[in-house]
Amino acid sequence: MIQSHSAILGRTRMSNENEIGEIQLLVSSGDKSSKCSGYSSLLHFQEHSSLNPSSLHSLSLSSHSIVSSLISDISNHDEEIAAQALKCLGFMIYHPSIVSSLPPDDVNLVLESLSKLITTTKLKSACNLGVWCISVQQLGESFLATHFHSLLLAIVHALDNPMGSLSTTFEATQAVMKLCGQLSKQMRDSSHIWAPPIYRRLLSTDKRERDATERCLLKVKTSVIPPSLDLSKVLVKDMKLNLLSGMKKLLDKGMKIQVIQAWGWFIRMLGSHALKTRQLVNDSLKIPECTFTDLDPQVQIATLVAWEGLIDALVHCTMLDPNKNTPAKENHLQKQHSLERNNCDVQANGFSKSIRLIMTPLNGIMSSKCDISVHSSCLNTWCYLLHKLETSINEPSLIKMVLEPILKAIFQNGPDSKSIWLWGLGLDLLSDSISQKCRDVLCQSTNQFRDRISETGPSLSAKCSWKLHPIRWLPWDISQLDFYLSMISVLICQASRPTVTSDHRSLVYDAAAKLFTSVLKGVKHDLESTSTNYDGIMLCLKSILTFIKNVCEDLCTDGTEKHDLYCISIRFIEVVTKELDSLILGSPLYKFSLDLKYIGGTQSGDHNEHLNFSVSRVSYMDKVSPMVYLIAVYFHMLDWLAMNSSQLDCKPQRSSEYFKFIFSSSDSPDNLLTFVGFLYKDVRPIHLKIWITLAEGLNGCARDPNCRSLRVAMSDSAAYSSICHLLIYPIVVHTETARLTLSNAGASSENYKVLLEKNPMLDLVIQTWISLYESLSASGSGCSTTTNFSGDLCTLLSRCLDDSIDMAESGIELHLKCNDTDLGILHLSGNFMICILDHIQTSELVSETEISNTERESKILCGIKNCLKLAARYMNLLMKTVVIDPLPGFVGTSRVSSALANFVSRLHRKQDILLFLEIISCPLLQWLSNMVNQDETTNEQLQHLWTEILSCLKRSQPPMNFGSALLRLHETLFEKTLDHPYPSISKPTITFWNSTFGQQVILDFPPNLLSVLDRLSRNGKLKLQKRSLPPLQKCRSSKEVSGTLPGYWVTATHNRTSKRIELVLDAQKDASPLSVKKRRLELTEHQKEVRRAQQGRERDSGGHGPGIRTYTNADFSQGLDESQESQEIRDSEAILQMLRKTI
């Protein structure tokens, strides 16, 4: 098999050699027909050899003899023979296998012969094919270099086309392209020789000739651009002699596109020499001046493409950064100094004038209403300019001249379906420039923007993509901050126009927010740098605050169409707060004038004068920190959204999270004080929406165990006061509304529309309030050694109810409906009070039962007292109020009774129980007296409350002393309940009496009880203890008050209806009264306070109404009264005298 294959190859080789031998015989004959037949056979054999390696090998072996014959015949006078010989020669010097087998002498002979043939032949086809051979040859560069000049002369001769053959010119241009690829340096150095006959044909009236010329120039562009000085000089001469006049003639013929295309090449090949021939350039600029203003978009596009020629001529590397090859990781400061130095150089060279010349038509086109294809071409030319400027584009002066005007022009139109992709290009450029500051920041805005653009508009042509011409951005510094902020401001302003669709507006707003975030990341990098001085930080912060002000105050005008703009403005503020360091934003070193218009127009209300609200509020033009400035703007944005939107924010949760971040980002309470101060600066019901988000944010801090800022704030008196006043704000709003309504001093009712329970907002207010209160109470920061959170809060709430109570006690019975302001106050107060009652017992009673610290115990007692006073006020207000149309969840008598019963069930300490009776007995008596007018459910809860009160009296620790003194204090209450018409009240009371007072010897019954006790005792229902006691013990019994603590007993006198308390040590209980010595005990601060409170009391009831005696003027921890301390008990007669006074 192998032998047969070898035999076949051998026979094939033999056949090829025989065929080539026959061809050579024919070619070498003197007969024309034989030569023609031989060359025809050779051409056929060459074509066959392209696919047959054996034939190709045979040609290589015979290449010397074949080439020798061909060279002798290419100069033959017979056109047919010469043409066939040249075609065969072209194949021999084209195929690499054959070329490699040619002897050097043959190669030199071929090149010499071709050069001579092209320049001397009279045959058109011979000249044409001779140039063709040069254009297809694959000879070595060394051979071509040796014969370069002769080849160049031959090609130029062919380009001049003395025989007028278009095909010859075409082949000549192909030969130029071939040699430029093989001998680039020599061709560039000699471009002034071969380029003129090419570029002159750009003004040919023959389209085929122009097209071939332009294709050639595009192929050899690197050899002529940038041009050599010799080429520029030749071109200047040609321009003056023929080209300029030739272009004007073609313009007159209407060939504008052809002319401007030629102009582009001419201006390119002038290069830097154009700066030395300004008159010529100015004359030539009249050509694009005519075409730029043409109405045909194709002419304008051609002009813009040609304008890149002027960019090539006027912008070149020798005028830019001489250190353009500096590594990317070079120190940024060195780059900055280099750029500043280069900026001075280019300014000295008139570079800025050249840039202005280039930018003039580009700015005009982008600012006009041209076809979208023209804008696309204009942006492509502009991007080419940015590419050519290299690192100089980062110069502030060039940013001002080149980058800023085009970006503004892009963003001034649309966005709409036609221009949205142009916006995408502008955003791409901005994003790429900004992202150079922080390489680790992934700026995804434009990618997402581009994806969404594909759904709404035409795709961006690859030719228009700026990535076709890479731009050398450098990391920017603070000096460029104003530029980026102005661009983002333009984006927001344009997208806010009413003609922009919501989809496009959303696209732009989202992209602008992400660009702004990237800018702030770069700013943060500079602010944290030690090389940035104080002035630099102030300049940077001022630029950011000015931008925020412009967006939020100047752009946000009246009208509900601006809802999206307010939302993005809020987003900008949130980004600034989160991206920049809170230590810088809140630093007292950086102060700025609070120049917001709405601050100057807001007048502080006078509703809070009685609240002693001590937090300072900022005023117009005050010097404030950047954080306070941002908070002021943020509040203004929320205020607008609250008034003009059904919801506070596009994403209400975002505002709550922002507040949480604000409160937790710094241990300073200034942020909280500022927000609460703004709430109280202009109290309106609509601000309850803001209050809800603010409270939710604070609630998030309270629930976060890692947030220590709130605990720190609660230890600060101003912050603690702010939190308390934040909690009472919903009631303050309704109180203020009622005050303005009654006084007619407020605005219209529309501006002070009350949000009541039928509006879900009031439900949300209550839920938010309860959640915040529970979190603050559970956080452990509400009852410290310096504060009593629940007690202080109840005090403030009580003050808010004072006005309503005064109205009720004036004798006017209030008839409230669901749309009345007072009912809103009552509803909120009741729900808040119930919440406090439910939690004060768990957080401040149960957990603190075992506390022995006197100060701590006093604060707990004070908290209970204030809470009960709030309950008493509310109960009194309910008695004077008739609710015609109660709201769902309204806190009426039934719910209050239930809550108080639950509260009483948790009481164990004697002093807590006595305090409860002291405060609640008066309103409780009125409720018990009015049970006939109550519904069954309410009466059941009242019965339950009274039963719990009786139970807690019996379980008191230390045990209660059920003597005459306690009976006198609550004689009216027992008088009502012992003989109550409802057995559910009277029976438990009688049972209680029999087990308590009925077991004691009471020497002095209150007069009001005598009738009731007489009737019940004669009926056998009531027990009265009749056993007698020794005189001294009786005396003591009459003097003992149930409120005494172990080791104490109380002397009750009627000296101006005051109770006096006498301390007797436990060790002296069993001693004779006659031997008791006078003992002075040092008064505590609490005892001194009670002593001062006792002074000036005129009624035993302490201002709580007739017949109800309280312990208001009694101090169970106090020692002997001054009058008692000055009088010693010496004998039984003195004791009896004191007893007579009490009776």
Side-chain angles (χ1 to χ4, degrees), residues 589-765:
L589 299 177
Y590 315 117
K591 296 285 188 177
F592 300 89
S593 297
L594 191 61
D595 53 354
L596 302 174
K597 299 175 184 177
Y598 95 97
I599 294 291
T602 303
Q603 300 297 328
S604 178
D606 59 358
H607 61 277
N608 57 342
E609 292 180 353
H610 67 289
L611 296 178
N612 192 25
F613 189 63
S614 59
V615 178
S616 60
R617 302 183 205 126
V618 293
S619 302
Y620 183 65
M621 297 306 291
D622 281 354
K623 292 290 185 179
V624 298
S625 68
M627 181 62 78
V628 173
Y629 194 102
L630 292 171
I631 289 174
V633 182
Y634 194 83
F635 189 90
H636 177 42
M637 297 295 99
L638 292 182
D639 184 27
W640 187 95
L641 286 173
M643 290 188 297
N644 295 278
S645 175
S646 59
Q647 294 185 357
L648 180 60
D649 195 0
C650 316
K651 298 180 179 178
Q653 184 65 24
R654 168 175 281 175
S655 294
S656 300
E657 293 174 355
Y658 174 72
F659 283 127
K660 178 183 177 182
F661 176 83
I662 286 289
F663 298 146
S664 60
S665 62
S666 173
D667 290 342
S668 172
D670 291 345
N671 298 341
L672 176 62
L673 300 181
T674 304
F675 269 117
V676 177
F678 278 119
L679 278 176
Y680 274 88
K681 190 175 182 66
D682 184 21
V683 176
R684 286 183 289 173
I686 201 68
H687 285 170
L688 286 176
K689 295 182 179 181
I690 303 177
W691 178 90
I692 290 173
T693 59
L694 185 61
E696 287 176 348
L698 190 61
N699 191 16
C701 289
R703 292 178 180 271
D704 187 356
N706 298 322
C707 181
R708 61 181 297 269
S709 58
L710 184 60
R711 292 189 290 273
V712 175
M714 291 295 282
S715 63
D716 180 84
S717 59
Y720 173 78
S721 176
S722 292
I723 292 176
C724 291
H725 284 82
L726 178 67
L727 284 168
I728 69 168
Y729 185 77
I731 296 182
V732 172
V733 167
H734 286 78
T735 304
E736 177 70 359
T737 303
R739 184 185 67 83
L740 291 171
T741 302
L742 292 174
S743 63
N744 292 322
S748 65
S749 59
E750 180 65 24
N751 292 334
Y752 287 93
K753 183 171 58 178
V754 182
L755 303 170
L756 291 177
E757 188 78 14
K758 287 191 174 180
N759 189 322
M761 180 62 63
L762 199 58
D763 265 340
L764 186 56
V765 167

Side-chain angles (χ1 to χ4, degrees), residues 1069-1119:
K1069 282 184 179 180
D1070 299 328
S1072 172
L1074 299 178
S1075 64
V1076 177
K1077 304 248 184 204
K1078 180 178 86 171
R1079 180 179 300 272
R1080 283 183 175 270
L1081 295 180
E1082 185 176 356
L1083 301 181
T1084 66
E1085 288 298 321
H1086 177 62
Q1087 292 165 349
K1088 292 177 181 178
E1089 182 180 353
V1090 173
R1091 178 63 52 79
R1092 288 191 295 269
Q1094 290 172 348
Q1095 297 175 3
R1097 298 283 185 173
E1098 296 297 336
R1099 296 189 302 160
D1100 186 67
S1101 61
H1104 288 271
I1108 302 297
R1109 298 176 181 175
T1110 70
Y1111 284 92
T1112 303
N1113 298 323
D1115 181 6
F1116 295 95
S1117 63
Q1118 187 169 304

Side-chain angles (χ1 to χ4, degrees), residues 1029-1091:
L1029 296 175
L1032 181 58
Q1033 193 171 354
K1034 291 180 181 179
C1035 180
R1036 287 190 179 182
S1037 176
S1038 67
K1039 294 185 291 182
E1040 288 175 2
V1041 178
S1042 60
T1044 59
L1045 298 176
Y1048 303 87
W1049 45 281
V1050 181
T1051 302
T1053 71
H1054 284 284
N1055 182 16
R1056 302 183 68 176
T1057 68
S1058 299
K1059 273 82 62 184
R1060 300 299 184 183
I1061 303 169
E1062 182 178 353
L1063 290 169
V1064 180
L1065 298 176
D1066 291 336
Q1068 298 174 329
K1069 282 184 179 180
D1070 299 328
S1072 172
L1074 299 178
S1075 64
V1076 177
K1077 304 248 184 204
K1078 180 178 86 171
R1079 180 179 300 272
R1080 283 183 175 270
L1081 295 180
E1082 185 176 356
L1083 301 181
T1084 66
E1085 288 298 321
H1086 177 62
Q1087 292 165 349
K1088 292 177 181 178
E1089 182 180 353
V1090 173
R1091 178 63 52 79

